[in-house]
Amino acid sequence: MLPIALALAIITMAPVDGKDSAVPLPAVIAHRGASAYLPEHTLPAKALAFGMGADYLEQDVVLTKDSVPIVLHDIQLDEVTDVAARFPDRARDDGRFYALDFSLDEIRALQVHERSDPATGMARSPSRFPVGKSRFAIPTLAEEIEFIQGLMHSTGRQVGIYPEIKSPRWHRDQGCDISPIVLKVLAEYGYTESGDRIFVQCFDQVETRRLREELGTRLPLIQLIAAPPKSGDDPHATLVTEAGVTRIAEYAQGIGPAYNRIVVSVDVNGEPVFSQLVEWAHRHDLAVHPYTFRADVLPAYSADFDGLMDLFLNCARVDGLFTDFPDRTREFVDRHVRR
Ligand code: CA
């Protein structure tokens, strides 16, 4: 007879449907919600992503004039709301309308729409939700967490949240320290420990390290890595080296690179060429969550969305994907990922 603990261990490790259940499947991270189908960062977009089986729902976080964290991708409001029509005299000299110049009450009065060019009103992605239809609003971070925790309560299904601290240096230049404010809201809703189902992400490597070392958070951190610029200096060049990844491992639990930091070019036959980034990250036990996977914006080396996901999940073996299409990524991960 096997000792019961060993027998249980063997059962736990046994392959199920050809998969080793001891190795977690890659995470389906709903990028701004199910943003392919509904205006990004609205609660309906989060509800749809939840219903589609996403493992994590993403929040981008900026501050209002009264220092309330809200869920909005840009520091400006004009690509996704009717702010220019409602408050025409409130633009800065650059013609843009900044969330930080509006109180929460004013932001609550805005209608959110699918992302469009503020100059022309033309949709950025014409095949997505029609611009200006129906009625949507910007949630605060607290409202969004209550919404997600409410869904977890009513359905019994658990998901993670994945907040990004946006432009911390810009906020500080404007007199606002965004990171402690975000951490406080997260703590109020029970997110304080390394084992909590959350990743906190930031592009600014000084700020991400500060979250750990100065602000003392125990939450899992993801160092975001921007795509290489089309021209000029690459501000994140030092992060995508073996030494850079080693430094990230001092304070973070993973990296969130643009996916063209992993597939960096194509060879003479048009085949993708991989960097060593995933290998270096895994050597340091860092999770790798590249962004952004979109069935309606494919790179030249992928004929279709499944092929693109196959390349990253089964060849590069990343640990999760930021996707605008959580339904299609969920299905691919469940059916086709070999782990
Ligand atoms: Ca983001």
Side-chain angles (χ1 to χ4, degrees):
M1 275 264 295
L2 284 169
I4 185 122
L6 181 57
L8 280 173
I10 289 169
I11 291 165
T12 310
M13 298 294 286
V16 177
D17 297 335
K19 289 171 192 150
D20 184 348
S21 60
V23 180
L25 285 171
V28 177
I29 306 157
H31 180 247
R32 312 180 197 171
S35 54
Y37 306 111
L38 281 163
E40 65 183 52
H41 284 323
T42 59
L43 296 182
K46 301 299 162 73
L48 187 59
F50 184 94
M52 287 173 164
D55 298 304
Y56 287 87
L57 306 178
E58 192 206 20
Q59 298 76 35
D60 290 304
V61 186
V62 304
L63 294 181
T64 65
K65 190 176 188 175
D66 33 1
S67 290
V68 179
I70 55 171
V71 181
L72 182 72
H73 179 269
D74 305 343
I75 54 175
Q76 302 94 358
L77 292 155
D78 33 24
E79 288 219 357
V80 293
T81 74
D82 60 350
V83 64
R86 264 170 209 258
F87 298 97
D89 56 348
R90 298 277 294 277
R92 291 195 183 188
D93 291 345
D94 62 1
R96 306 296 305 272
F97 297 78
Y98 288 76
L100 200 54
D101 297 337
F102 293 82
S103 69
L104 179 61
D105 280 349
E106 289 170 333
I107 284 171
R108 285 195 198 284
L110 301 177
Q111 285 212 51
V112 171
H113 54 68
E114 182 63 35
R115 186 170 282 274
S116 63
D117 181 339
T120 64
M122 298 292 285
R124 295 289 190 197
S125 303
S127 63
R128 295 190 173 190
F129 196 87
V131 175
K133 297 297 183 186
S134 195
R135 184 174 178 86
F136 303 96
I138 294 175
T140 66
L141 177 60
E143 287 165 349
E144 173 146 343
I145 295 173
E146 287 182 10
F147 184 82
I148 293 168
Q149 292 186 339
L151 278 170
M152 291 195 283
H153 175 80
S154 59
T155 63
R157 193 172 89 76
Q158 301 299 303
V159 296
I161 63 171
Y162 210 132
E164 178 183 346
I165 294 173
K166 300 299 282 191
S167 305
R169 208 169 301 183
W170 180 85
H171 276 95
R172 201 166 312 127
D173 289 346
Q174 307 288 316
C176 299
D177 192 3
I178 182 171
S179 291
I181 295 172
V182 172
L183 289 178
K184 183 165 176 283
V185 171
L186 296 176
E188 283 166 6
Y189 286 93
Y191 297 100
T192 54
E193 300 303 324
S194 60
D196 291 340
R197 203 176 291 207
I198 180 173
F199 286 104
V200 178
Q201 44 168 344
C202 190
F203 276 104
D204 183 326
Q205 67 264 45
V206 175
E207 190 74 7
T208 316
R209 187 184 277 275
R210 175 180 177 240
L211 283 163
R212 176 74 69 229
E213 295 179 354
E214 183 188 324
L215 300 177
T217 186
R218 293 188 288 272
L219 297 175
L221 299 177
I222 295 289
Q223 178 64 59
L224 294 173
I225 300 174
K230 292 195 172 64
S231 62
D233 283 348
D234 178 354
H236 279 176
T238 58
L239 294 183
V240 291
T241 62
E242 193 167 9
V245 171
T246 304
R247 279 194 299 277
I248 291 170
E250 294 168 2
Y251 60 87
Q253 279 58 53
I255 56 172
Y259 69 69
N260 64 359
R261 295 289 194 177
I262 294 172
V263 170
V264 288
S265 60
V266 289
D267 67 16
V268 288
N269 301 313
E271 295 296 324
V273 175
F274 293 90
S275 71
Q276 288 178 275
L277 189 59
V278 178
E279 183 189 325
W280 293 330
H282 284 171
R283 206 176 289 162
H284 288 283
D285 290 325
L286 291 171
V288 182
H289 295 166
Y291 64 91
T292 300
F293 290 79
R294 297 179 166 121
D296 50 0
V297 187
L298 292 172
Y301 54 78
S302 277
D304 58 45
F305 193 46
D306 278 8
L308 180 65
M309 291 190 286
D310 183 56
L311 205 57
F312 282 82
L313 292 167
N314 288 325
C315 300
R317 298 183 69 81
V318 301
D319 307 286
L321 302 181
F322 283 91
T323 176
D324 286 2
F325 294 79
D327 53 340
R328 296 186 59 179
T329 304
R330 172 82 277 150
E331 186 180 3
F332 188 87
V333 166
D334 289 347
R335 286 186 181 208
H336 303 299
V337 168
R338 303 184 293 273
R339 290 285 153 94

